[in-house]
Amino acid sequence: MKILVLLDGSKWSQKAAMHAITIAKRKKAQVMFFSVLDIREAKAMAFNFCAQSDLCDRIKNYEEQIWRDMKKSINDEIADILYYYNRENVDCLSKVVEGNLHEEIVREVKDGGYTLIVMGAYGKNAKIRMGSLFCDISRDVTAPILIVH
Amino acid sequence: MGYYTSLIQRKFKDVVGKRYESVLREYGEFLLSEEEMVVPEIHSILLPLDIFVKEIPPSLYEVLSAYEGARVSLVYITDAQVYSVISEVLSAGAGEEFMRKKEEYGHVLLNQVSGELAAAGIESTQRMFTGHKGEDIEKLASSHDLVALAKSYGSEKTEHYPISPLAIRIAQRLKKPTILF
């Protein structure tokens, strides 16, 4: 059994990783922690911050800094989770890719032959209604999707 | 050091004591608290069925069997509103015929899924009733630990709509872990 856990740095994806460990241990499954970094997110954060703060001359610097921080943050988070999973003797791997969120996830699901996809119910923008990502993914994949609240 | 502790130390290494408490209070929507870190125990699983659910993929049974000792409640719901409309617009007899056919299929499906669950080592109970496919599932979900919901629950899947709008709506409203298959 192979489980794909989607991580985006939100508290919900952290909960998803914790939930997946129960299934992984019981089924002796291999777990892949997968995260997609989208440069458009760094651009949006940099633009919104600079536009509101009248700092538009520094927008490129901010964007680069945010992009670096995004990479570091997700890698640190994955390292924490891998440490925890390894301690629980769960076979696990991780992958961080850059690109379009929906496209990269669907590609990974199709290429990876996963039995189950585990994701948080919400994203980094707090607890608003469950997002379009869930609808997009469930449209394109056949594996069951476990949504963790 | 546990996962939660390392997470907090990494993200808030410079925020100590009362300041951290205040951050946790004000930004709780974004921050995982230690209480939220607990993995829920799954003892009961709700699996709604209806005329549009044709089969359960083997991968779902494999996943459900991971929740050792959990019991699955199979619930087959026939839409009360459709029955009422058919009875009023056509005839009472047409309504009864509609209900008979739906229930006939319901019994077949319930027995089939129950047998497949048993083969996977999962205990189940069966229930069939007429009601509201969305609202009744939301009510029943409150007494279960996990919901397994078919993408076709509530309406046929099509090329443009591979997930039933009702299934999306239910998944969005539920506050329990939900498996969409």
Side-chain angles (χ1 to χ4, degrees):
Chain A
M1 184 178 189
K2 287 176 77 180
I3 302 173
L4 181 72
V5 179
L6 304 180
L7 294 177
D8 65 359
S10 70
K11 68 185 271 181
W12 310 104
S13 71
Q14 289 157 5
K15 283 185 87 169
M18 289 298 99
H19 193 117
I21 202 165
T22 311
I23 303 169
K25 282 169 81 171
R26 187 84 65 193
K27 305 298 287 187
K28 297 193 185 334
Q30 185 186 66
V31 179
M32 168 67 84
F33 295 104
F34 188 71
S35 188
V36 182
L37 294 174
D38 191 335
I39 187 71
R40 289 174 303 174
E41 194 181 334
K43 282 183 187 295
M45 285 168 75
F47 178 82
N48 288 330
F49 176 73
C50 291
Q52 284 164 29
S53 317
D54 289 332
L55 293 167
C56 288
D57 55 325
R58 298 187 211 165
I59 190 165
K60 199 65 196 168
N61 291 344
Y62 277 116
E63 183 190 317
E64 286 167 3
Q65 190 182 329
I66 290 167
W67 186 234
R68 275 196 305 274
D69 289 347
M70 281 170 64
K71 288 181 186 175
K72 183 178 182 315
S73 178
I74 200 69
N75 282 313
D76 286 349
E77 183 172 331
I78 286 174
D80 276 351
I81 294 172
L82 288 176
Y83 176 78
Y84 180 76
Y85 266 64
N86 284 326
R87 218 179 47 181
E88 298 286 324
N89 292 317
V90 176
D91 180 14
C92 53
L93 301 162
S94 69
K95 196 185 277 186
V96 179
V97 299
E98 295 174 17
N100 177 282
L101 192 59
H102 169 227
E103 288 172 11
E104 295 299 335
I105 291 171
V106 171
R107 181 178 299 131
E108 179 63 24
V109 172
K110 288 185 174 167
D111 292 349
Y114 296 98
T115 320
L116 176 71
I117 302 159
V118 185
M119 64 186 289
Y122 313 98
K124 283 189 281 191
N125 295 327
K127 204 171 176 179
I128 51 174
R129 178 162 292 176
M130 199 156 60
S132 58
L133 178 64
F134 143 74
C135 294
D136 286 345
I137 297 171
S138 49
R139 187 175 299 133
D140 290 330
V141 305
T142 53
I145 303 173
L146 170 59
I147 303 151
V148 179
H149 288 266
Chain B
M1 184 166 60
Y3 170 61
Y4 180 76
T5 313
S6 66
L7 179 79
I8 295 303
Q9 284 192 357
R10 177 165 54 76
K11 295 213 170 191
F12 295 94
K13 60 180 181 294
D14 300 325
V15 183
V16 292
K18 286 183 179 172
R19 268 186 72 200
Y20 172 68
E21 293 300 316
S22 133
V23 167
L24 195 60
R25 218 171 25 251
E26 288 183 42
Y27 298 92
E29 263 192 299
F30 307 96
L31 264 173
L32 197 59
S33 68
E34 196 153 15
E35 293 75 32
E36 289 177 308
M37 202 66 203
V38 178
V39 177
E41 288 190 16
I42 307 296
H43 300 294
S44 57
I45 300 164
L46 178 65
L47 206 171
L49 300 170
D50 71 354
I51 191 84
F52 301 106
V53 181
K54 304 296 181 199
E55 59 180 353
I56 310 289
S59 54
L60 182 73
Y61 296 127
E62 193 178 356
V63 172
L64 296 185
S65 67
Y67 300 109
E68 206 173 63
R71 181 185 284 262
V72 174
S73 306
L74 296 171
V75 177
Y76 184 96
I77 301 179
T78 300
D79 198 317
Q81 204 176 6
V82 176
Y83 168 68
S84 164
V85 169
I86 290 174
S87 299
E88 283 171 25
V89 173
L90 298 175
S91 67
E96 292 307 316
E97 179 63 8
F98 165 80
M99 191 60 80
R100 191 187 62 74
K101 285 191 172 168
K102 293 274 183 172
E103 289 187 349
E104 197 175 274
Y105 176 73
H107 282 301
V108 171
L109 186 63
L110 282 168
N111 289 333
Q112 180 196 320
V113 176
S114 180
E116 289 168 353
L117 284 165
I122 306 163
E123 278 187 57
S124 65
T125 57
Q126 299 182 18
R127 193 175 161 196
M128 180 189 287
F129 62 91
T130 305
H132 191 285
K133 289 184 182 184
E135 287 170 13
D136 282 322
I137 290 305
E138 283 182 42
K139 280 182 207 152
L140 288 169
S142 64
S143 57
H144 291 79
D145 303 317
L146 184 140
V147 179
L149 190 64
K151 288 181 192 173
S152 59
Y153 180 75
S155 67
E156 290 278 5
K157 288 194 284 186
T158 67
E159 192 184 338
H160 293 292
Y161 297 96
I163 320 168
S164 132
L166 182 64
I168 292 177
R169 184 81 181 128
I170 293 172
Q172 283 176 330
R173 289 177 59 86
L174 291 177
K175 300 293 173 233
K176 298 283 172 79
T178 305
I179 298 176
L180 203 69
F181 63 90

